């Protein structure tokens, strides 16, 4: 996965130091150093281009990565538009390969896929969007893809196809696709290898960035922001792609002017704190105060979105949970007996045995077994 991480990091690097600072991202590099590193990254990416114009993960001799080929082409075009040096010959070959993807889904032949139609639709929609940005997406191919919109495995490719059609002058199909993409209900009852690295958080973040970028459905953006906040609350970790997608959404969001707002925090109808977009206010609550309840009253004209985070430590250990994958842990001493974990002494050695099984095929999985405090790997 290092290859994909490398490409995503280059996407972030196209922002200057001022934007990164606004988003709370610390960087020791100034803009000149960052541009130099991006240029080196571009040269490295071009070294992974295959003879047919697609891209591989590690060099120009590996298997073709279809979705990443579209992503890299998208990145290279954006880099060129920002003044970086990108080979016109390499770009032309990449664009021709994307055109082949768009016009012939059989050109997309992944080595494994549990959802082949959805994978092809995702790759073709993204290719159509990138080509439409250069006015090179044939309308006939986009309309044929529209006829297969039921193949979509997430909302993002529907939005990408809608924007591609809009860019190529076919407004007739755009509104229905945008509505379908925003209302897409993600399913979480299966484990698949998505070659487009799809997740609900990643997809909705990219959708938000695309709508900002193309000035579409601006009235839906506040609702999308709330969805992203809710999704973030459910995540225990973020993939590299999810982090970058959130970055892209936030980069567009902070560029919008913020209206002034004010609000009062009330307890038993008495104000205890004043909030506004111009000041920061900290007010500490004990358990008694929390039980009494709080009210936030806004005096702003525009809607004010409130998020309350409560942290604490449970008094009892959580119950085991499972979601299609089952894990049990056994701990033994060196004699194969079960030790008393409440009476461990310095120098004691333990063996941890994990049993893992699944209710269905899981092509890719990662097992993380955290070390308890005070223990270290031998």
């Amino acid at each position: 996965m290092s290859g994909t991480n490398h490409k995503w990091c280059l996407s972030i690097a196209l922002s200057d130091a001022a934007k990164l600072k606004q988003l709370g991202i610390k960087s020791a590099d100034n803009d000149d150093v960052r541009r130099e590193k991006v240029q080196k990254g571009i040269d490295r990416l071009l070294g992974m281009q295959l003879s047919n114009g697609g891209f591989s993960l590690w060099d120009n001799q590996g298997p073709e990565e279809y979705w990443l080929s579209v992503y890299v082409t998208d990145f290279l075009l954006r880099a060129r538009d920002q003044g970086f040096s990108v080979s016109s010959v390499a770009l032309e070959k990449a664009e021709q390969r994307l055109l082949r993807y768009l016009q012939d889904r059989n050109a997309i032949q992944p080595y494994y896929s549990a959802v082949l139609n959805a994978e092809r639709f995702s790759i073709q929609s993204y290719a159509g969007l990138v080509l439409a940005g250069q006015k090179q997406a044939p309308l006939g191919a986009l309309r044929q893809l529209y006829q297969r919109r039921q193949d979509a495995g997430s909302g993002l490719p529907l939005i990408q196809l809608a924007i591609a059609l809009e860019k190529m002058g076919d407004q007739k199909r755009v509104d229905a696709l945008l509505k379908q993409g925003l209302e897409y209900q993600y399913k979480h009852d299966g484990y698949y290898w998505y070659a487009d690295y799809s997740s609900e958080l990643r997809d909705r973040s990219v959708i938000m960035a695309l709508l900002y970028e193309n000035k579409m459905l601006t009235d839906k953006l506040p609702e999308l922001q709330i969805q992203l906040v809710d999704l973030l609350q459910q995540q225990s970790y973020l993939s590299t792609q999810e982090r970058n997608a959130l970055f892209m959404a936030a980069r567009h969001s902070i560029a919008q002017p913020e209206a002034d707002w004010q609000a009062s925090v009330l307890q038993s109808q008495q104000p205890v704190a004043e909030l506004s977009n111009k000041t920061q206010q900290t007010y500490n609550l004990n358990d008694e105060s929390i039980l009494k309840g709080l009210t936030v009253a806004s005096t702003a004209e525009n809607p004010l979105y409130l998020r309350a985070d409560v942290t604490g430590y449970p008094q009892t250990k959580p119950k085991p949970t499972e979601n299609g994958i089952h894990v049990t842990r056994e701990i033994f001493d060196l004699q194969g007996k079960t030790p008393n974990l409440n009476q461990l002494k310095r120098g004691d050695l333990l063996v941890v045995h994990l049993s893992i099984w699944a209710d269905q095929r899981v092509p890719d999985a990662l097992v993380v077994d955290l070390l308890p405090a005070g223990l270290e790997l031998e």
Side-chain angles (χ1 to χ4, degrees):
M1 292 299 173
S2 297
T4 57
N5 288 350
H6 180 57
K7 299 179 182 72
W8 280 109
C9 289
L10 285 174
S11 174
I12 290 180
L14 289 176
S15 294
D16 58 27
K19 284 191 175 68
L20 294 177
K21 184 177 180 180
Q22 273 185 293
L23 292 169
I25 299 176
K26 297 180 181 180
S27 175
D29 297 334
N30 58 37
D31 287 344
D32 290 338
V33 173
R34 188 176 295 105
R35 289 187 67 86
E36 181 181 348
K37 289 183 177 180
V38 172
Q39 188 62 59
K40 289 180 179 178
I42 291 171
D43 297 339
R44 173 77 179 97
L45 285 175
L46 294 179
M48 303 179 198
Q49 189 171 33
L50 305 174
S51 59
N52 65 8
F55 289 83
S56 180
L57 268 180
W58 307 108
D59 54 34
N60 60 3
Q61 302 298 319
E64 185 173 6
E65 296 286 341
Y66 301 99
W67 186 87
L68 283 177
S69 292
V70 186
Y71 172 75
V72 174
T73 306
D74 186 9
F75 166 74
L76 292 175
L77 288 168
R78 291 172 183 269
R80 181 199 62 185
D81 294 343
Q82 292 198 27
F84 291 95
S85 175
V86 183
S87 166
S88 58
V89 174
L91 273 179
E92 183 177 354
K93 288 175 61 179
E95 289 173 327
Q96 287 300 312
R97 190 57 180 162
L98 266 57
L99 182 61
R100 178 73 188 281
Y101 291 170
L102 179 60
Q103 294 179 320
D104 180 12
R105 58 177 168 174
N106 291 319
I108 302 169
Q109 294 289 346
Y111 61 89
Y112 171 80
S113 177
V115 282
L116 180 59
N117 288 339
E119 183 174 329
R120 283 173 167 168
F121 186 86
S122 174
I123 294 167
Q124 289 183 290
S125 294
Y126 192 9
L129 174 64
V130 174
L131 291 172
Q134 307 301 311
K135 300 299 181 183
Q136 295 182 25
L139 258 178
L142 293 177
R143 287 168 178 167
Q144 287 182 4
L145 194 56
Y146 175 83
Q147 297 301 320
R148 293 180 20 238
R149 60 192 181 277
Q150 72 279 358
D151 288 345
S154 69
L156 176 57
L158 294 168
I159 300 294
Q160 290 171 325
L161 178 58
I163 297 173
L165 284 165
E166 194 272 340
K167 287 180 179 293
M168 297 307 297
D170 187 348
Q171 188 64 40
K172 178 181 177 181
R173 296 166 173 81
V174 170
D175 293 339
L177 273 177
L178 289 174
K179 184 175 186 295
Q180 187 179 351
L182 285 177
E183 295 179 354
Y184 185 90
Q185 295 298 311
Y186 286 78
K187 304 176 182 65
H188 303 284
D189 57 351
Y191 293 89
Y192 299 111
W193 167 248
Y194 288 113
D196 62 350
Y197 306 95
S198 174
S199 75
E200 184 172 4
L201 179 61
R202 195 288 301 265
D203 289 1
R204 292 198 185 280
S205 299
V206 176
I207 287 172
M208 183 174 168
L210 287 173
L211 294 180
Y212 267 125
E213 189 174 294
N214 293 277
K215 298 178 174 61
M216 301 172 75
L217 297 183
T218 53
D219 59 317
K220 299 294 184 181
L221 291 171
E223 182 181 345
L224 264 176
Q225 288 178 325
I226 294 175
Q227 291 176 358
L228 289 182
V229 171
D230 291 341
L231 287 170
L232 273 172
Q233 298 305 303
Q234 303 169 24
Q235 299 285 114
S236 57
Y237 64 91
L238 297 175
S239 70
T240 307
Q241 300 240 356
E242 289 169 335
R243 289 178 182 274
N244 187 73
L246 285 166
F247 171 86
M248 292 191 295
R251 182 183 61 181
H252 288 288
S253 180
I254 63 171
Q256 311 305 311
E258 181 185 26
D260 290 341
W261 58 267
Q262 304 83 33
S264 299
V265 181
L266 308 174
Q267 190 166 63
S268 301
Q269 302 303 316
Q270 298 299 316
V272 294
E274 297 296 326
L275 307 175
S276 78
N277 61 308
K278 298 179 180 179
T279 60
Q280 291 185 342
Q281 173 72 34
T282 300
Y283 182 70
N284 295 321
L285 299 172
N286 55 29
D287 55 351
E288 183 179 348
S289 298
I290 294 175
L291 290 173
K292 288 181 179 178
L294 294 172
T295 301
V296 177
S298 172
T299 58
E301 295 182 1
N302 297 322
L304 183 64
Y305 299 96
L306 176 68
R307 190 186 82 187
D309 295 322
V310 179
T311 59
Y313 299 96
Q315 294 182 341
T316 58
K317 67 179 181 180
K319 296 180 179 179
T321 60
E322 58 190 40
N323 186 17
I325 296 180
H326 312 268
V327 181
T328 61
R329 182 201 293 116
E330 296 176 285
I331 300 178
F332 304 101
D333 59 23
L334 297 189
Q335 285 72 46
K337 298 179 180 180
T338 301
N340 185 341
L341 299 180
N342 293 322
Q343 297 180 2
L344 293 180
K345 298 187 293 293
R346 180 180 297 177
D348 284 350
L349 294 176
L350 303 173
V351 176
V352 178
H353 177 255
L354 297 180
S355 296
I356 305 167
W357 69 99
D359 296 332
Q360 60 188 36
R361 175 176 166 77
V362 181
D364 298 89
L366 179 66
V367 178
V368 180
D369 189 24
L370 302 178
L371 277 172
L375 300 182
E376 59 183 24
L377 287 175
E378 174 69 18

